[in-house]
Amino acid sequence: MSRLLPTQTNAAVERSDNPAVLSLDDDATRDVIEALSSETAYEIFRLLNEMPATPARIAEQLDQSVQNVHYHLTNLESAGVIEVTDTCYSEKGREMSVYVVSEDPTLLFLGTEDDRPSLKRAFKSFASLLGPPAILLAAGESISQFVTAE
């Protein structure tokens, strides 16, 4: 008998050229740091950087309970660092969300909004060492525009 519902996903980890830039005085920064502060959450995030996965698959890979994985996935999703990209079904027909790292990368710098000029200078010095194409590949177009803007 053939399967009517997909039990695996064909989702892929995709990246965007539009990073979010967070500083210490940004409310989202605390959410990201808190979500990644647990060793389990950090390992889940690393795993999702490699491949999309369901909570059951993550639990199996990290030798954790599905309930514990769900807890950390909820925190990571609330912080905006992961998202649901697809749905597949278990052997028993239960719907399962497939998680990936959020498409837009996040740049976190340990300074305040007032420190942006310093950040800009740091990126300019980095760009002078590697050249603008390396910045474009490593950080995306919006960062290179941020760096080269006067």
Side-chain angles (χ1 to χ4, degrees):
M1 180 173 151
S2 66
R3 296 184 192 268
L4 298 175
L5 302 173
T7 58
Q8 294 185 0
T9 182
N10 60 357
V13 177
E14 296 182 18
R15 298 289 184 255
S16 168
D17 289 339
N18 196 15
V21 179
L22 301 177
S23 60
L24 287 176
D25 54 356
D26 188 337
D27 292 336
T29 302
R30 179 179 299 272
D31 296 338
V32 170
I33 291 172
E34 286 177 358
L36 291 169
S37 65
S38 158
E39 183 69 28
T40 301
Y42 183 75
E43 290 302 319
I44 290 170
F45 183 74
R46 286 187 56 192
L47 179 69
L48 292 176
N49 262 291
E50 296 171 14
M51 64 181 186
T54 63
R57 175 79 172 155
I58 295 167
E60 178 184 311
Q61 289 285 320
L62 300 179
D63 196 27
Q64 297 284 327
S65 71
V66 175
Q67 294 82 4
N68 189 35
V69 168
H70 270 290
Y71 170 80
H72 291 291
L73 288 171
T74 300
N75 292 339
L76 292 166
E77 187 175 20
S78 294
V81 295
I82 66 168
E83 58 193 41
V84 174
T85 189
D86 198 6
T87 302
C88 64
Y89 297 86
S90 72
E91 294 289 328
K92 295 179 180 179
R94 291 189 182 116
E95 188 175 277
M96 299 184 300
S97 296
V98 179
Y99 290 86
V100 295
V101 171
S102 294
E103 191 173 304
D104 293 334
T106 301
L107 172 65
L108 176 61
F109 72 97
L110 300 177
T112 64
E113 190 70 29
D114 296 335
D115 295 326
R116 282 190 186 259
S118 299
L119 179 65
K120 182 177 168 183
R121 283 193 301 276
F123 272 116
K124 279 187 179 182
S125 66
F126 184 68
S128 68
L129 292 173
L130 299 178
I135 294 296
L136 282 172
L137 290 173
E141 182 180 298
S142 62
I143 291 296
S144 65
Q145 290 173 352
F146 177 73
V147 169
T148 58
E150 293 297 329

